[in-house]
Amino acid sequence: MRKFSFLVCLLLLALSASAALADDTQFIEHEPFLLDDAWVEGSTHPNEYHYYPFTVEEVGLVTVRAQLFCGGQVQLLDADLVQWDEHYFNGTAGAPDTYDFTYYLEPGTYYLRSGNGSSQGDFRIKGTLEACLCDETTANDDYHGAQAIPSGETIHGVLTQWDEHDYFTFTLDGETEIYLTANSESGNAQNIALYDSDMVKTAEKYTVQDYAENLLLPSGTYYLDVWGGKGPYTFRIVYAQAPETLPANG
């Protein structure tokens, strides 16, 4: 019985020690940093986790550089503190470790979290934004929210990091030969597909780069799907004849 009581005491002491260690964890939120390429300095101690918010004002390519003069971990989080990416560092005071989080992001609030359970030392972070032209509506990630496009208008879009697809739509009143042009401005492998009103694929082109084609289509509603590599793209569909210019009365 004494041996059993001794084991119980040891277990209670271990649980108390674990609870004490858990209570030592600190979550520290800092002021937002700007995407102005200026360093923000910080330091961390064991069981500290530092949260640095930043705001993306326009759709574009965001690069956040983290540099640790110690060991540790840095994570990229969204506004709901859901982790999107992480990197482990092995820096020292004399040889910092550097990593760039580079993504095409939509407007919103994001966080960079730096911390670890054992190391301590200095770190610093900075960020930049390269804004992209973007004519997209917010609902066009799904064909139910496909964005209507006028004939002959050049559309600028961006496949951001968590976009799978961008959808656009147009309607033909009768059989029409359309002229479709598209170009990937990001250098990534972006693709386009054309669907009819039943979402049956009627045409597809992989890795669009200075792409141009005439397509003869029957009347109906169509959906253009842009998918693949992340980054900016442009396209234009001419599906209506320009009105004839009437001669001036004279």
Side-chain angles (χ1 to χ4, degrees), residues 123-249:
F123 64 88
R124 58 182 187 171
I125 57 176
K126 67 176 180 178
T128 59
L129 167 65
E130 297 177 32
C132 298
L133 286 175
C134 186
D135 305 319
E136 292 180 63
T137 57
T138 57
N140 78 332
D141 295 345
D142 184 278
Y143 82 94
H144 294 290
Q147 178 178 342
I149 51 175
S151 175
E153 184 172 312
T154 298
I155 301 296
H156 299 267
V158 181
L159 281 171
T160 56
Q161 190 58 36
W162 279 265
D163 274 349
E164 295 295 331
H165 302 268
D166 285 342
Y167 285 94
F168 302 87
T169 185
F170 62 97
T171 299
L172 303 178
D173 295 329
E175 184 178 66
T176 305
E177 184 176 66
I178 70 167
Y179 181 57
L180 170 61
T181 61
N183 187 49
S184 172
E185 298 186 353
S186 70
N188 294 321
Q190 294 180 327
N191 318 295
I192 58 174
L194 190 65
Y195 295 86
D196 66 14
S197 59
D198 293 327
M199 289 303 291
V200 175
K201 189 182 296 181
T202 61
E204 190 168 38
K205 174 65 178 177
Y206 292 98
T207 314
V208 292
Q209 198 73 40
D210 297 324
Y211 162 75
E213 186 174 3
N214 289 300
L215 298 170
L216 183 62
L217 301 174
S219 62
T221 296
Y222 292 86
Y223 298 93
L224 181 74
D225 173 20
V226 184
W227 58 280
K230 310 307 178 184
Y233 58 86
T234 60
F235 72 88
R236 184 166 66 102
I237 302 177
V238 179
Y239 57 86
Q241 290 184 345
E244 294 183 3
T245 303
L246 298 176
N249 292 327

Side-chain angles (χ1 to χ4, degrees), residues 85-144:
D85 194 6
E86 66 179 337
H87 184 74
Y88 291 87
F89 293 76
N90 293 298
T92 65
D97 193 0
T98 305
Y99 182 77
D100 289 341
F101 296 88
T102 302
Y103 294 105
Y104 286 96
L105 297 180
E106 296 180 3
T109 298
Y110 302 84
Y111 287 85
L112 210 65
R113 176 170 65 190
S114 176
N116 60 83
S118 57
S119 300
Q120 72 177 54
D122 296 329
F123 64 88
R124 58 182 187 171
I125 57 176
K126 67 176 180 178
T128 59
L129 167 65
E130 297 177 32
C132 298
L133 286 175
C134 186
D135 305 319
E136 292 180 63
T137 57
T138 57
N140 78 332
D141 295 345
D142 184 278
Y143 82 94
H144 294 290

Side-chain angles (χ1 to χ4, degrees), residues 69-88:
F69 297 81
C70 59
Q73 179 184 12
V74 175
Q75 299 164 318
L76 176 65
L77 315 173
D78 66 13
D80 297 320
L81 302 183
V82 175
Q83 178 182 311
W84 282 1
D85 194 6
E86 66 179 337
H87 184 74
Y88 291 87

